[in-house]
Amino acid sequence: MSESSVIRKAVISDRAAARLRNGHVWVYASDVLNDGGAGAGALVHVVNAKGKLLGSAVHSSASQIKLRLVSKEALNTEDDLINLVRERLREAVNYRKQVVGDTDAYRLVFSEGDRLPGLIIDQYNDILTFQVLTQAWDRPQRRDAIVSTVRGLTGSEHVVERVDERIRELEQLPQLESQIVAGNKSSTTFSMNGIRFLYDAQSGQKTGAFLDQRENYAAAAQFARGEALDVCSYQGGFALHLARVCDHVTALDISREALEVAEQNEKLNSAQVRSEIEWIEANAFDLLRDYADSGRQYDMIVLDPPAFAKSKKNLAPAMRGYKELNLRAMKMVRPGGFLVTCSCSFAVSEEDFLGVLNEAAQDAHRAVKVVEKRTQAKDHPILLGVPETYYLKCIILAVV
Ligand code: SAH
């Protein structure tokens, strides 16, 4: 047997074993008592201190999350792992068929949420993109199996690998360029809720569009009218939906590149969008302060800032950021208007977020009602037992 085909045993602490029993899939490096000499990305058997098998995991030699459980069973060969991956991909594709509507762009595989920890796959109309976040899925045989299986399941010919340089560096994976790995196309248009968007797999942030907000765009539009302000608009997701129903929309973002795409998206939807959108390149903190000071008022404001807290460590400054933006926004919502406010930091819990929204409401001297507590779209499933899969909070507030 070759070295790589020996399945090593990783021994974990009782605390980590209890976490796995509760449905979590991560084992931190500090809880691995002995990694059995597992290599980067290796399939391992996870056992407790008494030697009892808890399941099979993929190993990372670089991450603080040293083991990610992929099955509670013993996978004994590389083929077992590949078969499991194929089954999980099928399950993920079938789930989307059941829960996704009104769009040809959605997340097809959401990492831990789809029990394929460290793997993201998105469908954008006729293009698939994938992103590898852990050593495990960077192994050529596994990558090839993943790509050929999703192509087969979706009938999509074009596949682009999207690279997050920072993640590859943290995982100690060799640097790569984002590139086409199958077919020949890397840009297309897609639509959601009847609005069309440009998509270029070789540029843009994250994996391109913010697919997780799709259902929230439609929800926000239900309450929108009059004048709206979309803060941190990126390529215009909320703004374009609001422009179908509002008389005037102002959208701001700090990224010129994002706003350039947003303007092209506006043109693409000229038949649908009834009001002209004013795109403003600005820092949200500065512009909201200026607008609030000059007494501007809106019937709807959307706040969708980037994740201020990347971890619990920078929670305090993140909460100050949320407080400031929400306070200024609440002051600017006309009585009877709405604030749609989001946090995409996992580290900020729903309870924390509602708490900071209340502080902002008290300081703004406004009575604020919770109309809807929303989250990421259904194609980003929240897996019970893995709280980190619940990251997006989107709260729709009526500001009295
Ligand atoms: N609402 C968007 C997604 C927003 S992502 C959508 O639905 O598609 C967060 C956006 O905030 C990014 O486009 C980023 O460029 C922008 N951003 C980050 N810091 C900012 C700041 N200080 N002021 C304004 N925009 C900012």
Side-chain angles (χ1 to χ4, degrees), residues 7-10 35 38-39 42-46 55-59 67 75:
I7 308 289
R8 311 274 172 166
K9 267 189 196 155
D35 69 8
L43 170 66
V44 299
H45 285 163
V46 182
S56 303
V58 287
H59 171 254
L67 302 172
L75 303 178

Side-chain angles (χ1 to χ4, degrees), residues 128-278:
L128 287 169
T129 68
F130 76 99
Q131 199 169 33
V132 160
L133 310 176
T134 57
Q135 293 169 351
W137 313 123
D138 210 48
R139 293 197 171 189
Q141 197 198 352
R142 298 181 194 163
R143 288 165 66 98
D144 292 350
I146 291 165
V147 170
S148 68
T149 307
V150 276
R151 283 178 88 195
L153 290 169
T154 59
S156 300
E157 180 188 344
H158 312 290
V159 184
V160 179
E161 172 163 17
R162 291 198 41 106
V163 169
D164 183 324
E165 282 171 28
R166 202 184 62 90
I167 286 174
R168 287 191 75 89
E169 197 181 308
L170 290 174
E171 276 292 298
Q172 294 169 7
L173 290 168
Q175 282 303 334
L176 277 181
E177 296 282 311
S178 290
Q179 58 183 327
I180 297 177
V181 297
N184 52 32
K185 232 179 127 171
S186 63
S187 61
T188 189
T189 60
F190 66 89
S191 71
M192 47 172 78
N193 311 306
I195 300 270
R196 295 175 66 207
F197 293 85
L198 296 167
Y199 178 64
D200 183 347
Q202 312 224 52
S203 70
Q205 302 175 11
K206 242 175 70 163
T207 47
F210 288 88
L211 302 172
D212 50 4
Q213 291 284 24
R214 184 185 66 255
E215 295 168 358
N216 299 330
Y217 297 149
Q222 277 194 313
F223 302 103
R225 60 185 145 74
E227 289 175 85
L229 175 65
D230 177 16
V231 178
C232 297
S233 186
Y234 185 55
Q235 298 177 349
F238 279 101
L240 291 161
H241 282 78
L242 301 183
R244 274 205 291 215
V245 286
C246 291
D247 304 320
H248 189 266
V249 177
T250 307
L252 78 94
D253 200 281
I254 206 162
S255 158
R256 174 184 297 257
E257 208 188 342
L259 291 174
E260 280 166 5
V261 181
E263 282 191 70
Q264 293 173 36
N265 285 336
E266 183 184 7
K267 290 198 188 90
L268 206 59
N269 292 284
S270 54
Q272 300 236 23
V273 165
R274 54 182 273 251
S275 53
E276 199 169 310
I277 305 173
E278 195 181 337

Side-chain angles (χ1 to χ4, degrees), residues 24-42:
H24 213 295
V25 295
W26 292 349
V27 181
Y28 293 105
S30 55
D31 282 314
V32 178
L33 306 177
N34 182 342
D35 69 8

